Amino acid sequence: MHQGTRQSVTTENPIPEPTDADKLGPLRGQVWLTLQTNQARRLIRGRNGTKGKSPIIGLGLFAERLRLIWQASRNDDPYADWWLIKVHDAIEDREALLQRLQRDLDERLTQMGSIEVDVAVSERPYRMPLQFANPYAYQAARLVSTYDALVCGALTASHIGVLDRASRDHIIELGARKIRGLFMIPQGYRFLRIERSDIQKGNDKSTQAVQLMGTVPDDVLSGERRAPMAPIQRHLSSGFSRNLGLHSAPSALATAPSSDENDDA
């Protein structure tokens, strides 16, 4: 080859552009929740309101309301961002409480000396599929699972005499009450299709939002503070991030009539 002569480089087998048939499909998986106690299962189902009895929000209604908040947060609603922060903080608070109660129970169960204690479990546990639209609903389901294990431990400790009945009932009722309180948080959110620009303009939507939900904190309004697992906002997301994710296989948040056969050990 003479100096100065340019040699063209060609690819004999160029990689073809993928066709629609060659493209990978979405990732799919399945999530299951297994519960041992009716106390935990009642947190899943909740209760319809009747004459003389107010409704109790269960995991299913909590997740459905949270889905709206998640979508609104994605669409730049600062109030939705604020409510996701409230949910995140409440989950962390309840997780810490349940872990503390569980540690106390574990210490009691080790006070049996050479007697080895296996915590009681159901002979017929309740297993259900979960399909939620955001990670905080799954975190709430995990809390129910943690509570379920706590109830098993409390019933076992009471049965073998290292926990009196009043203390047992206090633990079970405290855990349930805290989780029900978490499930109530999304009910305070109002879906107004508001965006940050509405608050900056001080328009009618902004006035209505303040009347119904209060004044959103400045650091939340500015976008400086968001929940750790908050969704990527649509105006910031790329085509890649929009298409990245796990999709649950079709299923329903199933419930079944409850019985009281394992309400006590």
Side-chain angles (χ1 to χ4, degrees):
M1 180 176 67
H2 297 289
Q3 187 176 2
T5 302
R6 298 178 64 185
Q7 182 179 10
S8 61
V9 179
T10 60
T11 303
E12 295 182 1
N13 298 308
I15 300 175
E17 289 293 327
T19 65
D20 289 341
D22 296 326
K23 291 181 180 179
L24 295 174
L27 298 177
R28 296 194 181 276
Q30 184 64 67
V31 179
W32 293 86
L33 174 63
T34 301
L35 299 176
Q36 308 292 331
T37 68
N38 284 309
Q39 288 89 343
R41 190 165 66 170
R42 282 194 286 268
L43 293 175
I44 300 293
R45 300 177 62 223
R47 184 184 69 195
N48 293 327
T50 59
K51 186 177 181 179
K53 288 186 177 181
S54 58
I56 295 177
I57 304 300
L59 177 63
L61 290 179
F62 166 83
E64 178 61 24
R65 187 71 179 175
L66 195 58
R67 181 182 64 83
L68 297 176
I69 298 174
W70 182 265
Q71 186 64 40
S73 174
R74 180 173 287 165
N75 291 332
D76 201 35
D77 180 345
Y79 281 93
D81 279 350
W82 189 16
W83 251 255
L84 287 181
I85 291 171
K86 293 181 181 184
V87 169
H88 171 84
D89 291 347
I91 289 175
E92 285 201 333
D93 174 72
R94 282 140 178 87
E95 181 69 26
L97 171 66
L98 294 180
Q99 288 180 356
R100 178 176 62 79
L101 293 174
Q102 187 65 61
R103 284 194 300 269
D104 292 344
L105 270 181
D106 291 342
E107 289 179 5
R108 288 177 178 272
L109 291 173
T110 59
Q111 295 174 0
M112 296 297 290
S114 59
I115 298 177
E116 192 173 314
V117 179
D118 287 335
V119 173
V121 294
S122 174
E123 294 180 351
R124 295 187 304 276
Y126 177 63
R127 190 168 185 258
M128 57 182 293
L130 300 178
Q131 183 184 12
F132 297 133
N134 64 83
Y136 284 116
Y138 286 104
Q139 291 292 302
R142 179 176 57 83
L143 267 186
V144 174
S145 176
T146 302
Y147 171 74
D148 186 53
L150 179 69
V151 173
C152 288
L155 294 175
T156 300
S158 176
H159 182 69
I160 63 176
V162 298
L163 189 69
D164 61 73
R165 181 179 291 270
S167 298
R168 179 202 69 183
D169 292 345
H170 171 72
I171 290 171
I172 293 174
E173 291 168 6
L174 175 61
R177 185 172 69 251
K178 289 293 186 178
I179 293 178
R180 288 195 299 267
L182 164 67
F183 290 168
M184 283 296 297
I185 291 175
Q187 305 306 309
Y189 172 79
R190 297 295 180 265
F191 185 58
L192 303 177
R193 299 185 183 277
I194 192 171
E195 298 180 3
R196 281 178 167 82
S197 59
D198 294 310
I199 297 178
Q200 293 166 356
K201 296 172 184 175
N203 58 23
D204 291 342
K205 279 188 178 181
S206 174
T207 301
Q208 185 182 17
V210 171
Q211 291 174 346
L212 294 174
M213 296 180 284
T215 302
V216 65
D218 290 341
D219 56 349
V220 177
L221 179 60
S222 68
E224 178 184 349
R225 181 163 65 106
R226 299 186 77 215
M229 291 185 287
I232 298 174
Q233 293 177 336
R234 289 196 182 279
H235 69 278
L236 297 176
S237 62
S238 66
F240 175 77
S241 62
R242 282 197 301 270
N243 292 308
L244 179 64
L246 288 169
H247 301 266
S248 297
S251 65
L253 183 60
T255 58
S258 63
S259 67
D260 296 323
E261 62 188 1
N262 63 359
D263 277 0
D264 208 338

